[in-house]
Amino acid sequence: TVQLVESGGGSVQAGGSLRLSCGVSGITANHYCMGWFRQAPGKEREAVATVVITDDIIVSTHYPDSVEGRFTISRDSAKSTLFLQMNSLKPEDTAMYYCTTDPSVRSCTKAADYRYWGQGTQVTVSS
């Protein structure tokens, strides 16, 4: 069973930084998508950082224009924790952030394609 547990959210002023963590267990596939999505009230869940992993190696990374250059996705050497480093945060980054993975995803950036999600962690950026 795939399990994902996020932590690290909180409140910060605009221009500040936060690092989110996601403990990952139960992945047995050797090719899968993994990443971070966010959802603000009244809005659709959107990808903010996604990776394609093959044979334990990140082979590609994608960021939308809205976070490119400010957010960085990474994993620890044990490949059991996924991180999202968020710098230069803006009020529009305020949302619930979710960690996700699935070996059967067709498009890594489509939330509807993922079956496994963490419980989410709130990020609030004040101006």
Side-chain angles (χ1 to χ4, degrees), residues 52-74:
V52 176
I53 297 172
T54 300
D55 295 334
D56 276 345
I57 299 172
I58 295 176
V59 297
S60 67
T61 305
H62 179 268
Y63 303 98
D65 290 344
S66 58
V67 307
E68 179 78 55
R70 300 189 297 122
F71 289 12
T72 303
I73 188 172
S74 63

Side-chain angles (χ1 to χ4, degrees), residues 106-120:
R106 291 187 176 183
S107 171
C108 289
T109 58
K110 288 182 61 177
D113 285 359
Y114 288 86
R115 292 174 292 170
Y116 307 109
W117 295 88
Q119 81 284 359

Side-chain angles (χ1 to χ4, degrees), residues 19-70:
R19 189 173 83 154
L20 306 184
S21 299
C22 175
V24 182
S25 62
I27 295 177
T28 58
N30 64 354
H31 177 78
Y32 52 95
C33 292
M34 180 175 281
W36 292 92
F37 284 66
R38 69 185 179 190
Q39 188 166 21
K43 294 188 176 182
E44 293 187 354
R45 193 169 294 192
E46 61 174 354
V48 295
T50 57
V51 294
V52 176
I53 297 172
T54 300
D55 295 334
D56 276 345
I57 299 172
I58 295 176
V59 297
S60 67
T61 305
H62 179 268
Y63 303 98
D65 290 344
S66 58
V67 307
E68 179 78 55
R70 300 189 297 122

